[in-house]
Amino acid sequence: MLVLLPPSEGKAPSGRGAPLRPESLSLPGLAEARQAVLDELVELCAADEEKARTVLGLSEGLRGEVAKNAGLRTAGARPAGEIYTGVLYDALGLASLDPAAKRRATRSLLVFSGLWGAVGVGDRIPSYRCSMGVKLPGIGALGAHWRTPMASVMPEAAGDGLVLDLRSSAYAAAWKPKGELAGRTATVRVLHAQVDEKTGTEKRSVVSHFNKATKGRIVRSLLTTGTEPKDPGELVEALRDLGHVVEAEAPAKAGKPWALDVVVREIH
C-alpha cells in the first residue's frame, strides 16, 4: 500500500542537524527536477525579498520565510515526518507510533511538495515555504513542472498494490494515476453529517479542519493495526472494520479511481 499525503502549510523549525543531502531523498528519479526548483527558489529568496514574498504569496507577517528559503542548502535537516505539522499530522501522530507502525509509515507514506515533488516521511529535509500553487519566474507553475518526472517515477513507487490518495486538489494536480494503476487507487472525501432541526433531513458538508484530522486518523489506524488492503474494495471493508462509516462504489469505467466518502457525525 502506498499512501499519498499533502504537506502542511506550517512547518517545524529545521533544527541543528546536518544539512540537506539531496541524493539521500526517496524517489531519485525526481533529483533533476528537485534541483531545478531548489536552485531557483534559493536564488530568488536570496536576491530580492519583496519579489520572493510576492511570488510565494506570503503576507508581511511571514516575511521571515523568505530568509529561511534563502538558507535551505545550509539549514539543518530533520525527518520530513517531524518537519510537517498541522491538523492531519497531529492526528497521524507519527512520533507516538510503535516501532512496527513506524516502519510501515516509512515504507508506505509519501508527502507531496512544491519543492521536493514528493518525499518519504523518513527523508531528512530542512523547513521551507513553497506550495504547489507557486509559479516561479523561470520554471513556471510547479504543478506543471512536476507532471513529467512524476509520470515516470510514481508508477514504479506504487508497485502493484493499493494507492490511497489523500492529497488536496493542488497536490493531486502534480500526478494523476492512469489506466490499471488508477483502478487500484482510492481517493477519500470526509463528509460531516448533520440533521437539520427544522426539517429533520440530513445535510452533509466538507469541514476543512475535520477533513484533515479524519484523514490523519484513518492513516494512523491502518498503520497501528498493520492493515494493508490490496485494492480499494478491501480498503472499504478494512475501514468499516476499523469503525469508519464509508460509502463507496466501484467506478463505472475501468481505469478510474475509486471515490470513497467517509461520513462523520461528531466533530472532535
Side-chain angles (χ1 to χ4, degrees):
M1 179 175 64
L2 183 67
V3 182
L4 310 182
L5 299 174
S8 57
E9 193 72 16
K11 298 172 184 67
S14 292
R16 299 181 179 179
L20 171 72
R21 293 177 55 244
E23 69 277 8
S24 71
L25 299 179
S26 301
L27 307 178
L30 299 178
E32 184 177 346
R34 284 174 178 146
Q35 193 62 53
V37 180
L38 179 63
D39 287 347
E40 183 170 356
L41 183 63
V42 169
E43 181 179 352
L44 171 68
C45 292
D48 190 331
E49 184 177 275
E50 285 304 317
K51 181 178 180 180
R53 192 161 68 86
T54 300
V55 169
L56 297 173
L58 301 176
S59 66
E60 177 64 32
L62 294 173
R63 181 179 293 273
E65 299 293 288
V66 176
K68 182 166 70 175
N69 281 348
L72 282 172
R73 291 195 181 92
T74 56
R78 297 167 60 185
E82 297 177 13
I83 290 290
Y84 295 114
T85 59
V87 176
L88 188 154
Y89 291 90
D90 286 347
L92 174 52
L94 288 169
S96 62
L97 293 175
D98 63 54
K102 285 182 179 178
R103 288 192 295 271
R104 294 184 196 107
T106 300
R107 184 175 70 244
S108 63
L109 305 189
L110 280 181
V111 184
F112 271 60
S113 160
L115 174 54
W116 314 114
V119 292
V121 293
D123 290 349
R124 299 181 66 85
I125 58 173
S127 185
Y128 68 96
R129 191 70 172 233
C130 184
S131 71
M132 190 66 79
V134 164
K135 185 176 181 180
L136 292 174
I139 287 174
L142 291 179
H145 171 75
W146 287 112
R147 282 184 200 126
T148 297
M150 285 286 182
S152 299
V153 168
M154 288 304 300
E156 181 179 354
D160 58 3
L162 168 72
V163 177
L164 175 54
D165 189 354
L166 302 178
R167 298 173 295 165
S168 55
S169 58
Y171 291 89
W175 177 69
K176 294 181 179 180
K178 296 180 180 180
E180 184 270 339
L181 177 53
R184 291 189 276 113
T185 299
T187 63
V188 172
R189 180 176 63 166
V190 179
L191 298 176
H192 178 218
Q194 291 177 295
V195 176
D196 188 295
E197 294 181 358
K198 293 182 179 180
T199 65
T201 58
E202 184 178 80
K203 295 184 177 180
R204 295 178 176 183
S205 60
V206 176
V207 181
S208 177
H209 178 97
F210 195 57
N211 174 57
K212 295 174 183 177
T214 301
K215 287 179 177 179
R217 294 188 187 106
I218 285 172
V219 177
R220 183 179 179 88
S221 64
L222 292 171
L223 293 173
T224 55
T225 58
T227 305
E228 296 195 26
K230 296 180 175 61
D231 57 49
E234 287 191 14
L235 173 65
V236 171
E237 294 306 315
L239 293 179
R240 287 172 177 164
D241 289 344
L242 291 168
H244 298 284
V245 177
V246 183
E247 297 177 355
E249 291 184 3
K253 295 181 179 180
K256 298 290 184 180
W258 285 52
L260 278 56
D261 283 344
V262 176
V263 182
V264 294
R265 291 180 169 80
E266 294 182 2
I267 294 182
H268 58 280

